[in-house]
Amino acid sequence: MSESSGGARQRVSDLPARLYAARLRARSRWRRLSVTLTVAVCLFALIGYLLLWHTSLIAVRGIRVVGAKSVSNARILTTSQIRAGGSMAALDTGAAAARIERIPQVASASVSKDWPGTVVVTVVERVAAALVPDAQGYQVVDGGGVVFGQVAKVISGLPVITVSAPAKADEVVPGALAALRALPATIDRRIAAITASDPYAITLRFTDGATVNWGGGDDAVDKARDLEDLLRIQGGTHYDVSAPDAPAMS
């Protein structure tokens, strides 16, 4: 009876050791499996990187330009440095867009990938707002005052901003453009010329010969509203909105 009880105690006492050994073997197998899986994933990632970034397996097959009007597609593509046959994955779209935006006529550009092999280049061109005379003819400026073109003659429909001494163009043009931006299209299209001898002495001249003393480039929205109100009154040839609180006409 005592021998049977001793054997049972021996068998019971061996069980924790066997369970512990089994757990160690399971952990060892899991570690080996983890290492194998990690190595496999790294190898696949390396192979994928080499295939995508350093081969033409997924290459640029076509380039589509959207929004270009005055700038040729050829110039945009040359400036972008996007190469047909190059890796799609390795293409730095931000850098390509930044290069395109160096073209004076381009206000903004974006480059996107249309997988598997097409690159889409979208450009927004600058819109001419006025002409500024210079020694070569006229500079073409957009609404923000950025010069993006040069012409020899006046372009119909664009007002000419003439700056006389002692004022300088970079002092006057922003205020004149602020006036153009603030005015509604119905009035804006009637402006034939803008003159200034001082940043706070801007004068607008309509196509019918009427003039507007605009003053400086500040309070453009209020001045535009005053001018609209004055133009509703018939018979005026000179309007003064330089002081928004006291508009006048004669």
Side-chain angles (χ1 to χ4, degrees):
M1 192 71 167
S2 60
E3 290 181 1
S4 176
S5 298
R9 285 195 298 271
Q10 182 64 36
R11 285 194 299 271
V12 172
S13 63
D14 289 344
L15 182 59
R18 290 198 301 269
L19 291 175
Y20 180 70
R23 284 197 296 270
L24 289 180
R25 288 193 297 272
R27 289 176 183 174
S28 179
R29 286 195 299 270
W30 174 246
R31 281 195 295 268
R32 290 196 297 269
L33 180 60
S34 298
V35 172
T36 302
L37 290 175
T38 301
V39 172
V41 170
C42 291
L43 285 175
F44 279 119
L46 177 60
I47 293 171
Y49 169 77
L50 293 174
L51 289 175
L52 291 176
W53 267 263
H54 296 282
T55 72
S56 58
L57 179 64
I58 302 181
V60 177
R61 305 299 182 189
I63 307 171
R64 186 168 74 251
V65 179
V66 180
K69 298 176 181 177
S70 63
V71 185
S72 68
N73 288 1
R75 184 180 182 187
I76 291 173
L77 295 180
T78 299
T79 305
S80 71
Q81 298 180 20
I82 301 173
R83 180 174 55 86
S87 169
M88 279 283 288
L91 174 62
D92 187 337
T93 56
R99 289 190 289 268
I100 296 170
E101 289 176 349
R102 294 173 190 158
I103 299 174
Q105 295 93 328
V106 175
S108 64
S110 63
V111 178
S112 60
K113 301 174 184 179
D114 186 6
W115 296 93
T118 302
V119 176
V120 181
V121 178
T122 303
V123 299
V124 176
E125 294 188 355
R126 298 187 186 280
V127 177
L131 303 174
V132 180
D134 68 0
Q136 287 73 44
Y138 300 88
Q139 295 177 336
V140 183
V141 300
D142 69 359
V146 176
V147 178
F148 67 95
Q150 185 80 33
V151 294
K153 299 179 180 180
V154 172
I155 300 175
S156 177
L158 287 182
V160 177
I161 302 175
T162 302
V163 182
S164 57
K168 297 179 181 179
D170 58 356
E171 298 173 339
V172 172
V173 170
L177 291 173
L180 294 177
R181 288 194 301 270
L183 291 170
T186 53
I187 299 177
D188 184 59
R189 67 170 65 102
R190 294 173 54 187
I191 298 174
I194 301 175
T195 59
S197 58
D198 182 274
Y200 291 93
I202 298 172
T203 299
L204 314 181
R205 181 170 61 81
F206 289 138
T207 53
D208 62 1
T211 58
V212 180
N213 179 17
W214 187 265
D218 53 333
D219 301 319
V221 174
D222 293 335
K223 293 177 181 179
R225 184 172 55 251
D226 288 342
L227 182 57
E228 284 188 89
D229 294 338
L230 292 175
L231 289 173
R232 293 191 182 98
I233 305 173
Q234 301 296 322
T237 58
H238 180 72
Y239 306 89
D240 191 334
V241 294
S242 58
D245 296 331
M249 62 175 287
S250 59

